[in-house]
Amino acid sequence: MADTDDLPGEASAPEPRFVALKEGALILGLQFLLLAFRLGEIPLLGPDEPRYARVAVEMARANEFVTPTLAGEPWLEKPPLYYWLAGLGFRLFGENEKAARWPAALAALLMTGFTGLVGARLFGRSCGRLAMIVAATSPLLFAYGRAATMDVLVAAFITGASGLFILSNLGIAGPSAAPAAWGLMAIAVLAKGPIGILIPLGVAALSGLAVGRLSLSRLVPPLGIVLALAIAGPWFAAIYLDQGFHFIEVFILNHNLERFTSTIHNHPGPIYYYLPVLLLGVFPWSGLLAPAIAGLGAVERRPLLAILAWILVPFALFSLAGSKLPGYILPCLPPFAIVIALSARVLQSPEHRGAVRTAGLFGLVISAAVAALAIRGMRQGEPWGRSALTPALWLLATTFMASRALDRARHEGLRILAIGASGFLLLLTLVAPPVLEAMESGRRLFLPAQGREVLVVGAWRTAWMSGYFYNNGRVREMPSLSAALDLVSGQPRLMLFGPSEWREAKSREGYAALELAQGPRGNVLARISTRSSH
C-alpha cells in the first residue's frame, strides 16, 4: 500500500486531491482487522475500563440516557457518548469486552479516515494515503483504539473538526465546512467535554492567523452554533435539570478545570512528557521525521503552516496541563502523521541523503533498545520479558531492512515499514493477553465470587475496580480492616485484600481466613468468617 508512483513532489501531472476509494478501503480494512483481531481476549484493564464499561451496563439495563450511574449512584466525570455506544454494543453482542471496546475501534477508523482526507486535500493523494497508513499502524492509536475509554472518541471528532477548519481557512473547503466542524465539535464535547471545542477552535484561530485568513465569521458561524446546540445542548440541559450545580462542580470544576490546572488526579509529568510519547507512539514511522523536516522547505508554505499550527495547539495545551496521560496527545497524531508522510518527497533526493540515513539509524537504535529491554526483562524473570522478545526482534529485523531499503528504493523501504508496523501490532495482539491479564487486571480475582458482594480492604485500585464489571458491580471499599471485620458475624464475607492487609487479616484472633484467589501485586480474595461460624 505504501508502494506508489505518485509520491508527493513528483514532477508529473498534478496529483488528485483525494485518496482513491479502493486504496482508502484497503487501509481501513487493514486497520479494522488489526483492531478487531482478538479484541475481546484481553480483559478490561486498569481502574478506568471496568468502571466505564460498568456505567454503560447500568445505563443500558435501565434504559437511561441522561444520568450515568456507577453502583447506582450518579457518575458525572464524563459525558455520555461512550456509554451510549457501549450500551448499544452490550445489547447487540452481550456484556463482554468486545462490546465495551467497539466504540474506540470505530473512532480509530474515523480518525484514520479524517487524516487521509485532510492530508490528501492539502498535499495530494500520496500524502493522504501514506498518512493513513502511518495512523492506522501507529502503536498509540492501536492501543487506544482497543480500549474501553473516551480518548479516541474525542480525538476522532477533534480531528474532523480541526481538519475542516484548516481546509476552510485555506479556501479549499466550501462554506459548509465551518458549520460542519461545529457539529463535530459538539459530538466531541459529548465524548469527553470542553476539550472537544477548545482544541479545534485553537487550531482554527492559530492556523487562520498563520495563513492570513483569520475570520470571526468563519470561526464562529451562526449556523454552526445552532447545529452544535442542537446536538449537544439537549443532554447538557437534561443533566443539569437532573443534577443541578452538582454536575457543574464534578464535571466542569473537578474533572476538567482542576485536572488541567493541578495534579489532583495523580497524573503529573514533566513539560516534555509528550515528546517521547508522540515519537514512540508512531514508531517505526517516527524516524521518517528527519527527511520530512529536511524537505519542508519545498512544501507549499500556507498549508504547511496550518498543519504545524494543528500540531502545536494540542501539544502545547496538554504539555502545560497539570495532569498528563499518553492518550491525551492523540489529537496530535493526525497532523504528525501528515508531516511524516511528507518525507516521501525527499527519500531518494541526493541532497538529503544524510536525513535518510538518520531516519534509518533512529529506527535501528530504538528497535535495538526495545529488544535489549525485552532480553533484560526475560533474564530478570519479568512476566512480560519472554512474550515481548518476539515482537521486539521482529521490529529490529524490519527496521534494519527498511533502513537499507530507504537509501536505495523508496517504495521498497516504505512497504517494509508498513509490513513491519502491521506485523508488530499483530504479534503484540498474540502475546499480550495473558501478560496484561496477569499484570493489569483483577478479572481472575473475582471468579470465585460469582456475583456475591466483595468488601475491599486496601487492595490495588486496578485489582478491585475490575469487580465493577467482572462481579456485576458488587464491590464495596471499606475504610479499614476493622470496619470490614465488624460486618462478619454468623455470615462469612468475601474480602479483597492488599498484601499487608492480608497478612494482618490472617493474624487476627477469632477469625478464619481462607484464600480463594491471588491477583496482581499480591492482592488476595479470601473468605473471612468467625471461628465459631467456621
Side-chain angles (χ1 to χ4, degrees):
M1 283 176 295
D3 183 324
T4 173
D5 57 3
D6 58 350
L7 289 165
E10 293 281 332
S12 56
E15 276 192 85
R17 295 283 171 161
F18 58 88
V19 176
L21 180 61
K22 181 180 178 180
E23 295 170 339
L26 284 173
I27 297 168
L28 291 177
L30 167 66
Q31 186 181 18
F32 173 78
L33 292 175
L34 289 172
L35 291 170
F37 181 58
R38 305 187 76 188
L39 183 60
E41 294 296 315
I42 298 176
L44 299 182
L45 304 174
D48 288 337
E49 279 197 296
R51 284 186 297 171
Y52 296 155
R54 178 63 192 179
V55 173
V57 165
E58 292 188 14
M59 292 185 76
R61 289 180 181 178
N63 288 317
E64 172 63 54
F65 298 98
V66 175
T67 305
T69 62
L70 181 65
E73 298 296 325
W75 177 259
L76 306 177
E77 292 186 6
K78 299 292 187 292
L81 182 61
Y82 167 78
Y83 307 134
W84 290 342
L85 294 174
L88 176 62
F90 293 143
R91 291 179 182 275
L92 294 176
F93 310 120
E95 294 176 2
N96 54 53
E97 293 88 351
K98 184 182 297 185
R101 289 176 172 141
W102 88 268
L106 173 65
L109 294 170
L110 287 174
M111 194 165 165
T112 298
F114 285 139
T115 301
L117 172 66
V118 178
R121 293 292 287 159
L122 293 179
F123 301 110
R125 170 185 290 177
S126 57
C127 178
R129 179 173 57 231
L130 185 53
M132 285 183 73
I133 296 172
V134 172
T137 57
S138 65
L140 186 66
L141 185 55
F142 174 78
Y144 281 92
R146 294 170 60 92
T149 66
M150 298 83 178
D151 296 287
V152 181
L153 271 176
V154 69
F157 293 104
I158 284 175
T159 298
S162 300
L164 285 175
F165 275 129
I166 284 176
L167 296 179
S168 178
N169 284 338
L170 291 171
I172 296 174
S176 62
W182 274 85
L184 292 175
M185 284 195 298
I187 301 174
V189 169
L190 286 174
K192 205 169 182 182
I195 202 71
I197 195 169
L198 291 177
I199 291 178
L201 282 184
V203 171
L206 186 59
S207 64
L209 187 64
V211 304
R213 285 176 58 92
L214 183 61
S215 166
L216 185 61
S217 62
R218 187 182 300 112
L219 194 65
V220 191
L223 179 58
I225 302 296
V226 171
L227 184 60
L229 289 174
I231 293 172
W235 181 79
F236 281 94
I239 192 67
Y240 183 78
L241 289 174
D242 186 64
Q243 295 293 315
F245 186 75
H246 181 57
F247 168 71
I248 303 296
E249 184 179 43
V250 173
F251 177 66
I252 300 295
L253 299 181
N254 184 278
H255 283 275
N256 283 278
L257 184 60
E258 290 186 5
R259 185 179 290 271
F260 180 80
T261 59
S262 72
T263 58
I264 187 174
H265 294 285
N266 300 316
H267 300 301
I271 191 71
Y272 57 83
Y273 178 92
Y274 289 112
L275 184 59
V277 170
L278 196 55
L279 289 173
L280 295 176
V282 296
F283 192 78
W285 298 101
S286 44
L288 296 182
L289 189 61
I293 292 173
L296 290 183
V299 179
E300 189 180 348
R301 181 174 176 273
R302 292 172 72 246
L304 176 61
L305 288 175
I307 287 293
L308 295 179
W310 188 0
I311 295 175
L312 179 61
V313 168
F315 190 87
L317 181 67
F318 291 121
S319 294
L320 293 173
S323 295
K324 294 179 174 68
L325 286 171
Y328 292 174
I329 204 63
L330 278 165
C332 277
L333 193 148
F336 194 59
I338 292 171
V339 169
I340 287 174
L342 292 173
S343 66
R345 295 171 179 263
V346 299
L347 286 180
Q348 286 185 299
S349 171
E351 60 184 291
H352 298 301
R353 190 70 66 189
V356 175
R357 292 197 175 105
T358 299
L361 181 62
F362 179 86
L364 283 173
V365 169
I366 299 299
S367 296
V370 172
L373 183 64
I375 293 171
R376 180 182 178 186
M378 185 174 63
R379 288 179 174 175
Q380 293 180 344
E382 297 288 349
W384 50 266
R386 187 175 298 276
S387 297
L389 186 60
T390 300
L393 292 178
W394 167 271
L395 202 59
L396 181 61
T398 54
T399 51
F400 173 75
M401 290 188 292
S403 67
R404 293 177 60 84
L406 285 172
D407 200 33
R408 66 178 188 272
R410 175 178 54 195
H411 304 322
E412 182 183 347
L414 294 177
R415 191 181 301 116
I416 290 172
L417 282 176
I419 294 171
S422 302
F424 176 67
L425 299 180
L426 182 62
L427 287 171
L428 285 181
T429 306
L430 290 171
V431 303
V435 175
L436 290 174
E437 177 157 20
M439 296 178 62
E440 296 292 333
S441 172
R443 177 170 66 176
R444 292 180 182 175
L445 279 169
F446 288 94
L447 291 177
Q450 298 182 336
R452 292 172 291 174
E453 185 182 48
V454 174
L455 305 179
V456 179
V457 185
W460 182 36
R461 290 174 74 243
T462 290
W464 79 260
M465 287 189 179
S466 293
Y468 280 124
F469 189 77
Y470 292 112
N471 199 45
N472 202 29
R474 301 202 66 194
V475 288
R476 179 160 43 125
E477 191 174 20
M478 303 300 295
S480 66
L481 175 60
S482 296
L485 293 177
D486 286 343
L487 300 179
V488 180
S489 55
Q491 180 68 34
R493 304 299 295 263
L494 298 182
M495 297 187 190
L496 182 59
F497 297 98
S500 60
E501 290 79 9
W502 172 233
R503 289 192 294 270
E504 184 180 353
K506 289 189 294 183
S507 65
R508 282 290 183 103
E509 293 185 5
Y511 295 94
L514 175 63
E515 181 178 314
L516 301 178
Q518 288 189 0
R521 299 196 184 184
N523 290 267
V524 172
L525 178 71
R527 177 181 180 271
I528 306 297
S529 60
T530 59
R531 292 289 181 184
S532 56
S533 65
H534 181 72

